[in-house]
Amino acid sequence: VSRHPLRVGLVGVGLMGGDHAERLAQRTAGVTLVAVADPDVGRATALADRLDAVVHDDPLSLIASPDVDAVVIASPGFVHEEQVAACLQHRKPTLCEKPLTMDDDSSLRLVEAEARLGRRLVTVGFMRRFDPEYVAVKEALVSGVYGRLLLLHHVHRNRAVPNAEFHSEMIVRDSLVHEVDASRFLFGQEVVEVTVLAPAPTSHAGPGVLDPQVAILRMAGGGLVTTEVFVNSRVGYEVRFEAVAECGSLTAGLASSGVLATRATPEGGVWGGLVPEDYRSRFARAYDLEVQAWADAARAGHAVGPSAWDGYAATAVSTAGMESLRSGGNAVAVTLPERPRLYPEDH
Ligand code: ISE
């Protein structure tokens, strides 16, 4: 491990990038946040001044800078391909927020570029793989005590959507993609078929937006996954799942705030936990563990966590899922090319 702190540059200082900035500057050991870049230069400058970093107008100049050892990418998905490709070109370890890119062709180009280098540099920010409950379920399944995994049932709810431009396919590409990755992780298998169904939408969805949606994934070993994604639930951030195996089931994500509150209402006393506002609080610990593990690995010269292949496989399933949604609910097969040797089958 290098004796020097890892000098990290951050691309994108929106909601997620702003959260990562605090994490990198204050809660990650062995790291110095040295540079930020964002099209909103005012926002980037305010953050950089406060955290003692420099601002780059151009994300590619941040990535190329000799003062930056490693890069966190929290920009919108449509610029990821160019930015991750630049990180590969400059041989810089990268933690790229999900989705890896917007479609499977561009994700596969990144896989091929990294495979050509023969060295893993990219980690995709599927933070649930670092969430202690997801990890505990994975370990329990691997232990064999529960027998073979048969089914997963996921629930994924957001209180409301971020803006008026929100459209139905974003539910598949930006939200369901987490369950795609979590299912690949928990089963240790690829997804071979996806179906996305839309019931009559909630009146809280925008005009024409199909919300909620129900996705069915068929896994390579024959297992099935159901997922409800509902992004205008009006309640808060609810992410939970039940894994059903041959000799028992495991449930994660119940009352994840851990706080049990009682409250007086005109109808009488109510009790229960508090629902987290969004992913930043619900998965704060997972993000901390993810960024720390990524930084430790980068300093030691290797890579951990979801790989470019995992990012590609998830994007391929999302692309097929969007096709299924457009078709009105046809099952769409997912066929992946041969997995390069750089990515062993141990996810
Ligand atoms: C957002 O981009 C995320 O990654 C959140 O975890 C997810 O719940 C949300 O639906 C996405 O838009």
Side-chain angles (χ1 to χ4, degrees):
V1 178
S2 160
R3 282 184 299 114
H4 304 290
L6 186 75
R7 298 169 305 168
V8 175
L10 171 65
V11 177
V13 296
L15 272 193
M16 194 65 238
D19 199 51
H20 278 325
E22 304 295 334
R23 173 170 295 109
L24 289 162
Q26 276 146 25
R27 297 202 295 282
T28 313
V31 157
T32 313
L33 176 65
V34 291
V36 299
D38 194 283
D40 184 341
V41 178
R43 194 176 167 132
T45 307
L47 188 93
D49 287 350
R50 194 161 54 75
L51 300 177
D52 204 18
V54 300
V55 178
H56 288 256
D57 298 343
D58 178 1
L60 299 182
S61 92
L62 177 149
I63 293 167
S65 166
D67 298 328
V68 169
D69 302 321
V71 182
V72 173
I73 297 179
S75 51
F78 62 87
V79 288
H80 284 182
E81 182 183 8
E82 182 184 42
Q83 295 171 358
V84 174
C87 291
L88 289 173
Q89 189 199 330
H90 293 282
R91 312 283 194 273
K92 299 209 174 159
T94 309
L95 174 60
C96 178
E97 269 306 326
K98 45 61 58 178
L100 177 57
T101 67
M102 304 292 267
D103 62 71
D104 45 350
D105 289 344
S106 49
S107 286
L108 188 56
R109 284 196 286 273
L110 293 178
V111 163
E112 288 165 351
E114 192 182 45
R116 273 197 299 276
L117 291 181
R119 175 182 161 201
R120 266 201 61 191
L121 287 166
V122 179
T123 298
V124 181
F126 286 122
M127 75 297 187
R128 294 189 191 177
R129 293 193 188 212
F130 293 88
D131 178 72
E133 289 188 46
Y134 279 69
V135 170
V137 172
K138 173 75 180 173
E139 283 171 0
L141 290 170
V142 169
S143 76
V145 169
Y146 291 85
R148 195 163 48 84
L149 178 60
L150 305 172
L151 292 167
L152 292 171
H153 302 292
H154 297 274
V155 169
H156 181 168
R157 299 194 189 131
N158 296 172
R159 191 173 59 76
V161 297
N163 56 49
E165 283 87 65
F166 190 87
H167 59 85
S168 304
E169 290 186 7
M170 291 166 73
I171 294 182
V172 178
R173 199 187 55 214
D174 298 324
S175 307
L176 176 67
V177 70
H178 281 294
E179 277 73 25
V180 172
D181 183 66
S183 303
R184 294 180 63 254
F185 172 60
L186 293 166
F187 267 100
Q189 293 168 13
E190 297 295 355
V191 175
V192 293
E193 186 190 85
V194 52
T195 307
V196 181
L197 302 167
T202 168
S203 58
H204 296 123
V209 175
L210 297 171
D211 179 39
Q213 296 175 12
V214 175
I216 300 163
L217 308 179
R218 193 178 286 282
M219 307 304 296
L224 279 183
V225 179
T226 63
T227 303
E228 169 207 314
V229 189
F230 185 14
V231 297
N232 287 284
S233 76
R234 286 295 182 271
V235 179
Y237 198 79
E238 294 175 77
V239 168
R240 54 179 170 266
F241 71 91
E242 183 169 4
V244 183
E246 287 178 309
C247 308
S249 70
L250 298 137
T251 300
L254 291 175
S256 52
S257 74
V259 175
L260 183 69
T262 66
R263 189 163 50 87
T265 73
E267 292 77 42
V270 294
W271 62 5
L274 301 177
V275 182
E277 172 71 15
D278 66 19
Y279 46 92
R280 289 170 296 171
S281 51
R282 163 64 179 86
F283 284 112
R285 181 94 186 107
Y287 286 123
D288 286 353
L289 293 167
E290 169 195 76
V291 172
Q292 188 66 65
W294 169 76
D296 290 347
R299 286 179 79 200
H302 56 87
V304 286
S307 65
W309 176 265
D310 295 313
Y312 159 65
T315 307
V317 177
S318 307
T319 307
M322 290 188 280
E323 184 185 331
S324 171
L325 183 70
R326 280 195 298 274
S327 76
N330 290 342
V332 177
V334 182
T335 316
L336 304 181
E338 200 187 329
R339 187 173 172 129
R341 275 208 311 279
L342 184 61
Y343 312 102
E345 306 244 357
D346 61 355
H347 56 258

